[in-house]
Amino acid sequence: MTGRTRSGRLQGLGARVLASIGRQEWLDRPSYRLEHLLSFAYNGLGGARNGVTNALHGVWLGHPVHPPLASLTSGSLGTTVALDALSLLPGQRLTEVRNASRFAGRALGVGILASVGSAVTGVTDWQHTHEADRRVGLVHGLVNLAATALYAQSWWDRRRGRHYRGIALTALGYGITVAGSYLGGALVFESGIGIDRAGERLRTTEWTPVLSADSLNGKPVRVEVDGVGLVVCRTGPDEVAAFGALCPHLAAPMADGWVDRGRLVCPWHGSWFSADSGEVLRGPSAAPLPCYEARLVDGTVEVRGEAASAVGGATGIRKGGAK
């Protein structure tokens, strides 16, 4: 069997596993119950809710926090497995074996802590997924939870001097982690979970008329400039703003959203974006909404793209009044 044939069969197996998990509709009931528990817990934080969930979503970073924590987890656990393997090599001095075992235990501890942080941030992001992605995400979380339980038992066994048992449990857990990572990778690279879904940016540096100000009735209105979708909305009696047409979180159509007290609200998951700058005020979106320069000229809304401030010497003002 050639390498290409083996690779094709492995890819086919992975695709079939993902499709099978995505069809398991019986997972919906427990998943929505878990979501309700999460909502109850976060709402119980009162005024601190938005600050906590924004931190877990990665609003402060402009990027989800879960992936770097997952990388730290896998790196620490991979180090543990490597050190365990070194400690088992024949012909080593006792001090070398003990040093490898000691550092393996420390790396395992870091991996467990990172795994807990990865789980908390992951489930916070997961609650805003749907259908097949939601089912795959649930299985992904359960698989990693099982692996973390094995790591915790391994850490305990090592502390009690049962090193070989601890090594075996870590190796088993790492194999499970690899399987869970495949599911997580599929959610990112195939479904786009956790990446910026705002789409193509507007680059034109010229002011472009898009619609009459009379067309703005309090809701965002979708327009298109140079093949790029935008939404335009009124933010004051004589002020307008222009943003990307798709929410960065899961590409929700922002034309179905609304403006509320200086915030543009996503219609699907309730992300808040500043009507002045597009920055995230409340997740689950971690990336800001693309924001463009807009102005009113003789009752007509004109817009231009992100490159205007760099090319035309503009001041970077994102919304404007009548001219």
Side-chain angles (χ1 to χ4, degrees), residues 6-294:
R6 286 194 297 269
S7 176
R9 290 188 175 181
L10 186 59
Q11 291 175 6
L13 175 62
R16 288 193 296 273
V17 169
L18 288 169
S20 177
I21 295 173
R23 290 194 298 267
Q24 305 306 309
E25 296 183 4
W26 62 271
L27 292 172
D28 292 346
R29 183 184 295 271
S31 73
Y32 282 109
R33 287 180 175 175
L34 176 57
E35 181 189 353
H36 293 158
L37 288 175
L38 290 171
S39 297
F40 180 80
Y42 291 141
N43 290 336
L45 297 173
R49 178 193 183 280
N50 287 351
V52 171
T53 55
N54 281 354
L56 295 175
H57 284 306
V59 171
W60 56 276
L61 186 62
H63 181 287
V65 183
H66 178 69
L69 282 175
S71 296
L72 177 59
T73 300
S74 59
S76 299
L77 297 172
T79 300
T80 303
V81 172
L83 290 171
D84 283 342
L86 290 175
S87 71
L88 296 176
L89 290 176
Q92 296 187 89
R93 290 177 296 182
L94 182 59
T95 55
E96 294 174 338
V97 173
R98 287 177 175 173
N99 285 337
S101 297
R102 182 171 67 254
F103 286 116
R106 292 175 180 176
L108 178 61
V110 173
I112 292 171
L113 292 176
S115 182
V116 172
S118 180
V120 173
T121 55
V123 77
T124 304
D125 293 337
W126 164 85
Q127 65 179 320
H128 301 291
T129 57
H130 304 282
E131 297 179 340
D133 292 336
R134 188 182 189 87
R135 297 159 195 155
V136 173
L138 179 64
V139 175
H140 166 70
L142 291 174
V143 167
N144 285 326
L145 184 62
T148 302
L150 290 174
Y151 297 138
Q153 183 62 51
S154 172
W155 183 86
W156 181 258
D157 285 340
R158 292 167 192 259
R159 298 280 292 182
R160 293 296 176 270
R162 298 188 287 268
H163 295 291
Y164 291 114
R165 177 176 170 177
I167 288 173
L169 289 175
T170 297
L172 177 60
Y174 193 68
I176 295 174
T177 294
V178 170
S181 297
Y182 176 81
L183 298 178
L187 289 173
V188 174
F189 297 112
E190 294 186 17
S191 300
I193 303 298
I195 66 174
D196 188 338
R197 302 280 295 277
E200 185 180 357
R201 268 52 168 180
L202 180 65
R203 302 298 181 187
T204 179
T205 62
E206 300 296 328
W207 286 108
T208 305
V210 290
L211 80 169
S212 168
D214 294 336
S215 303
L216 301 177
N217 57 3
K219 286 180 58 66
V221 177
R222 191 183 191 283
V223 298
E224 192 168 295
V225 179
D226 290 345
V228 178
L230 312 176
V231 291
V232 178
C233 57
R234 191 182 291 275
T235 57
D238 295 310
E239 292 185 328
V240 292
F243 303 95
L246 302 177
C247 177
H249 178 229
L250 285 179
M254 295 304 296
D256 293 339
W258 57 93
V259 180
D260 177 38
R261 292 171 291 179
R263 304 173 302 212
L264 187 60
V265 183
C266 171
W268 286 3
H269 303 111
S271 292
W272 294 350
F273 301 96
S274 169
D276 289 324
S277 63
E279 69 174 306
V280 182
L281 301 178
R282 186 178 81 173
S285 179
L289 186 66
C291 184
Y292 305 105
E293 294 190 78

